[in-house]
Amino acid sequence: MNLGPVIMEWLDELAECSEDPAELTRRYLTPEHAQAAELIMRRMREAGMDARMDAVGNVVGSFPGPRPGARRLILGSHLDTVRNAGKYDGALGVMLPIACLRWLRERGRQLDYPVDVIAFGDEEGLRFQATLFGSRAVAGALDPAMLHAVDEDGVRLHDAMRGFGLDPHAVGDAGYRPEEVAAYVEVHIEQGPVLEAENLPIGVVTSIAGAVRLRVEVMGRAGHAGTVPMNLRRDALAAASEAVLAVERICLGTPGTVGTVGVLRTVSGAVNVIPGVVEFTIDVRGESDDRRHVALARIDEAFAEIASRRGVLFDCVPTHETGARRCSPWLMRRLGEAVEAEGIEVRRLPSGAGHDAMAMARLTEIGMLFVRCKDGISHHPAESMTAADAEVAARVLLRFLERFDPDERRSMGGKPGAA
Ligand code: HGY
Ligand code: MN
Ligand code: MN
């Protein structure tokens, strides 16, 4: 079939769309987003799809299928990246389905149901902290308040939309109606070590951990580093440092949760000034929503104790929360059958990382395939996978596509899997 090398070449090409040639960074509503969108639309058109940009900057490719009005299968993932990212997080789930549809078209094999491929414009939330913005819009689950988010240069999301040629009042146009969608399936690198450790190229995802992100501001009192006695200080950075270690200690002590402080900065810091204001972010995930809430309550208590002992204030603002999601048993079974048909052991595994599928679960049933990645590394330039594994994933997806019946689920009853 030889799709693996084609997919890897497309991913190399897409990785060129970066705001920094030295490290891959592609943020929402930037010239690099537009450049990537053009490239993706070109590949979609080669596959015989209609390709367009939707009202929030997602790229949507549509394959009509012979039965107008039949419920459509949506495939896809995100085109944006974290800072200094790897080439495969998100991009694999955009380019692989397009390559598969082009392969089918070149052989005159027509699927008998409509398929859309969506490259979501903002899953990571790197620029506006508006995580899953593109997929939430498609799922009709967008919180309009997100439009007022501001990036690090003070640009508001709705102004950036206008600058990108989009109308912020039209974001609702990106939504699909539940009755027109049969399922959403996302192919993604595992971003973890399990498949590699078990020498498997591919796995079927069972659930996606829920996540909450907060922006925390610690307000103490700035002062001269030489004149303020230690016992009279309200050092915001010392307090924040205790808070960071509290997040680590609490999540270590709350089984099934992970906690990360990914960004920390002193506001107008200087070597000879006691930090007055410090900002940092928190990301807490949990296999179950309850576990995540327990960890958050404990973090709240710890911050209150630090604040009163040190005479500082903590202001914690949630910037994102998504509940844990279960993947559809129906889709897990069909994806598993496709893996088995390739002669591969079916390994089911949970996702600790978040994905657009979490938002799409508000619209339809979700399924995910994980592809092995080297050393489980992701969100880092060392993120890598092989053409051979891309080939396996393409073969599995093609088997899934050729057997998929958009009406099968309705005959089985049941609702999308929200844990
Ligand atoms: O943060 C995540 O889990 C995803 O990569 N956006
Ligand atoms: Mn990511
Ligand atoms: Mn991702």
Side-chain angles (χ1 to χ4, degrees):
M1 185 179 278
N2 210 28
L3 274 180
V6 168
I7 292 163
M8 298 301 276
E9 191 190 303
W10 286 6
L11 291 169
D12 287 344
E13 191 186 29
L14 190 58
E16 298 301 308
C17 306
S18 171
E19 58 193 61
D20 179 341
E23 54 178 56
L24 172 53
T25 302
R26 189 164 56 242
R27 296 178 303 155
Y28 182 45
L29 302 179
T30 58
E32 301 70 43
H33 172 176
Q35 195 190 355
E38 274 312 310
L39 194 153
I40 292 164
M41 283 193 268
R42 176 156 55 86
R43 295 297 182 202
M44 286 174 166
R45 291 178 183 126
E46 282 173 12
M49 305 175 92
D50 301 327
R52 62 185 173 83
M53 185 169 280
D54 73 6
V56 294
N58 300 321
V59 178
V60 181
S62 295
F63 215 72
R67 286 189 290 154
R71 293 195 307 151
R72 61 191 55 243
L73 170 66
I74 301 179
L75 307 168
S77 192
H78 56 96
L79 64 77
D80 67 315
T81 71
V82 293
R83 206 176 294 285
N84 196 12
K87 295 179 188 172
Y88 307 100
D89 173 9
L92 175 68
V94 171
M95 297 319 247
L96 186 142
I98 298 170
C100 289
L101 292 168
R102 190 181 76 161
W103 187 86
L104 286 170
R105 182 170 187 257
E106 285 168 347
R107 283 152 189 79
R109 286 155 67 170
Q110 165 98 35
L111 297 173
D112 71 355
Y113 53 87
V115 180
D116 282 3
V117 177
I118 304 181
F120 296 105
D122 187 8
E123 185 268 353
E124 302 286 3
L126 175 63
R127 182 175 178 190
F128 294 103
Q129 312 298 317
T131 313
L132 303 177
F133 189 82
S135 38
R136 286 178 196 269
V138 166
L142 201 54
D143 172 3
M146 287 171 116
L147 288 166
H148 301 289
V150 180
D151 73 5
E152 56 202 3
D153 303 320
V155 177
R156 280 201 182 288
L157 200 167
H158 59 67
D159 291 330
M161 288 184 81
R162 285 201 186 88
F164 204 71
L166 301 169
D167 171 4
H169 298 297
V171 295
D173 297 350
Y176 282 65
R177 294 187 318 282
E179 61 275 13
E180 66 181 320
V181 184
Y184 171 73
V185 170
E186 182 167 356
V187 179
H188 203 289
I189 52 169
E190 179 198 338
Q191 296 179 301
V194 172
L195 293 174
E196 185 179 58
E198 299 183 15
N199 200 21
L200 289 168
I202 199 162
V204 176
V205 179
T206 55
S207 63
I208 308 171
V212 61
R213 294 181 185 172
L214 302 110
R215 187 176 41 245
V216 182
E217 191 175 36
V218 184
M219 288 152 280
R221 189 164 57 204
H224 193 297
T227 56
V228 181
M230 291 307 286
N231 65 329
L232 297 181
R233 294 186 177 202
R234 295 187 181 181
D235 183 328
L237 184 51
S241 308
E242 272 203 64
V244 171
L245 292 175
V247 170
E248 182 187 53
R249 172 173 46 78
I250 287 163
C251 290
L252 263 171
T254 311
T257 65
V258 288
T260 312
V261 173
V263 178
L264 182 142
R265 73 185 189 99
T266 53
V267 175
S268 57
V271 63
N272 56 354
V273 175
I274 303 163
V277 180
V278 167
E279 293 172 346
F280 64 88
T281 61
I282 303 180
D283 175 315
V284 175
R285 320 249 177 139
E287 287 154 31
S288 82
D289 294 345
D290 295 347
R291 311 287 320 146
R292 194 175 68 251
H293 295 147
V294 163
L296 277 172
R298 288 176 180 165
I299 287 170
D300 257 353
E301 281 164 29
F303 285 10
E305 191 281 325
I306 295 166
S308 77
R309 178 163 41 83
R310 287 179 168 271
V312 300
L313 286 177
F314 278 77
D315 180 31
C316 302
V317 177
T319 55
H320 163 66
E321 176 142 28
T322 311
R325 291 283 189 265
R326 275 201 326 271
C327 293
S328 153
W330 161 51
L331 295 173
M332 284 198 283
R333 191 162 49 254
R334 291 293 173 252
L335 290 167
E337 287 163 0
V339 171
E340 222 158 18
E342 280 297 313
I344 299 166
E345 176 203 339
V346 180
R347 175 62 157 93
R348 290 183 168 193
L349 69 166
S351 172
H355 302 286
D356 287 301
M358 303 172 91
M360 294 298 280
R362 309 275 291 268
L363 175 70
T364 187
E365 302 222 38
I366 61 168
M368 284 193 76
L369 281 174
F370 266 174
V371 180
R372 171 170 49 189
C373 61
K374 188 159 175 12
D375 302 332
I377 293 176
S378 183
H379 283 188
H380 186 279
E383 182 183 284
S384 80
M385 60 175 282
T386 64
D389 286 352
E391 178 84 14
V392 169
R395 300 172 74 93
V396 168
L397 187 66
L398 280 163
R399 284 185 185 274
F400 171 80
L401 292 176
E402 294 201 299
R403 281 210 49 194
F404 182 72
D405 169 2
D407 299 320
E408 180 182 36
R409 189 70 182 92
R410 260 193 302 201
S411 59
M412 297 154 76
K415 299 298 275 173

